[in-house]
Amino acid sequence: MGGKSSPSNSQMVQFEMEQANEAKQKEADRQARLNVGKEAIDKLFGADNFGTDFYEKYNKASLDYNLPQLTTQYNKAKQDLTYDLARAGTLRSTAAGQAQGYLENENAVNEAAIRAKADTDTASLRQSIASQQQQAYNQLYATEDPDVAANTATHMVANAQIAQPNISPLGDLFKPLVIGATGAYQGYNDQTTLNNALKTSNPLSSGSGVTTY
């Protein structure tokens, strides 16, 4: 009787070896594509584009916008305090020193808050960029196409590089100090003291309003 002969053991072994080698080669090619894509993504999101200088510049942009506003408000609060103390006749009193100390402390607290927000915003930017890098990885693993993933990453990087802090004018940072009016008439009569105090750019202290680092 005629019929098809069954493959020999050697033929089966040879076929399985060929299949295994083919699968191995496919996986090697796949890993090579993934490595090419990952290297491209890592370079795009690396230190050349998002190094220390990039984040320091972002942080500085926030401080450069907000700290001058703090200085302006601080100087205005100082001037108002000088007027109020002079009108109350307490410009040279212990109460004046206490009021000055309160104002200085309030200024320091406001500056610390501004710097903390700049640091927090910068940290959020770092997290956002890291998240975008992970998105590029995910696309690479899903498509296994390094060119598509690299193009997507390039657009992400371009947008991230022009990111600016979310800034807006500061509200009123200094609470008005209530100065007693007991000595108000004496204060008005002490015109020389008032005039001398108002001639200086810093009538209550020789230090600057904001410490720069």
Side-chain angles (χ1 to χ4, degrees):
M1 290 179 61
K4 296 181 179 178
S5 61
S6 300
S8 65
N9 288 338
S10 61
Q11 288 176 321
M12 289 293 295
V13 171
Q14 180 66 28
F15 177 76
E16 290 174 356
M17 289 180 60
E18 289 176 355
Q19 290 291 98
N21 288 335
E22 183 178 348
K24 185 177 180 179
Q25 185 60 50
K26 285 182 178 179
E27 179 59 21
D29 293 342
R30 174 178 174 276
Q31 288 299 326
R33 292 194 302 273
L34 293 178
N35 288 338
V36 168
K38 188 174 184 302
E39 288 177 4
I41 292 170
D42 288 344
K43 182 174 177 59
L44 285 166
F45 283 94
D48 287 346
N49 290 322
F50 301 113
T52 301
D53 289 346
F54 171 80
Y55 292 107
E56 287 182 348
K57 181 180 178 181
Y58 183 89
N59 187 282
K60 185 175 183 295
S62 178
L63 296 178
D64 286 350
Y65 181 82
N66 287 316
L67 288 180
Q69 293 184 68
L70 174 64
T71 300
T72 298
Q73 289 197 33
Y74 172 71
N75 289 337
K76 174 69 165 53
K78 249 189 334 187
Q79 186 179 59
D80 290 345
L81 179 60
T82 300
Y83 273 112
D84 291 342
L85 289 169
R87 291 177 60 190
T90 56
L91 195 59
R92 298 169 185 254
S93 67
T94 301
Q98 293 174 339
Q100 176 187 350
Y102 177 86
L103 187 64
E104 293 290 343
N105 180 71
E106 198 172 14
N107 184 60
V109 169
N110 286 326
E111 180 180 345
I114 288 172
R115 292 186 180 277
K117 184 179 185 305
D119 291 342
T120 299
D121 290 347
T122 303
S124 295
L125 178 63
R126 285 182 182 273
Q127 293 175 352
S128 174
I129 290 174
S131 176
Q132 291 179 59
Q133 184 174 8
Q134 185 58 53
Q135 290 177 33
Y137 287 150
N138 293 342
Q139 184 182 52
L140 172 64
Y141 298 141
T143 64
E144 298 182 9
D145 189 328
D147 292 332
V148 171
N151 287 336
T152 299
T154 298
H155 290 302
M156 290 178 174
V157 168
N159 290 331
Q161 284 182 313
I162 60 175
Q164 293 294 325
N166 185 17
I167 53 181
S168 59
L170 298 176
D172 293 334
L173 299 176
F174 294 91
K175 298 178 181 178
L177 297 177
V178 178
I179 306 299
T182 304
Y185 293 107
Q186 177 185 345
Y188 279 131
N189 292 331
D190 192 5
Q191 191 64 44
T192 301
T193 300
L194 174 60
N195 289 340
N196 289 338
L198 296 179
K199 284 178 181 178
T200 64
S201 59
N202 190 342
L204 294 177
S205 171
S206 58
S208 62
V210 175
T211 302
T212 56
Y213 298 94

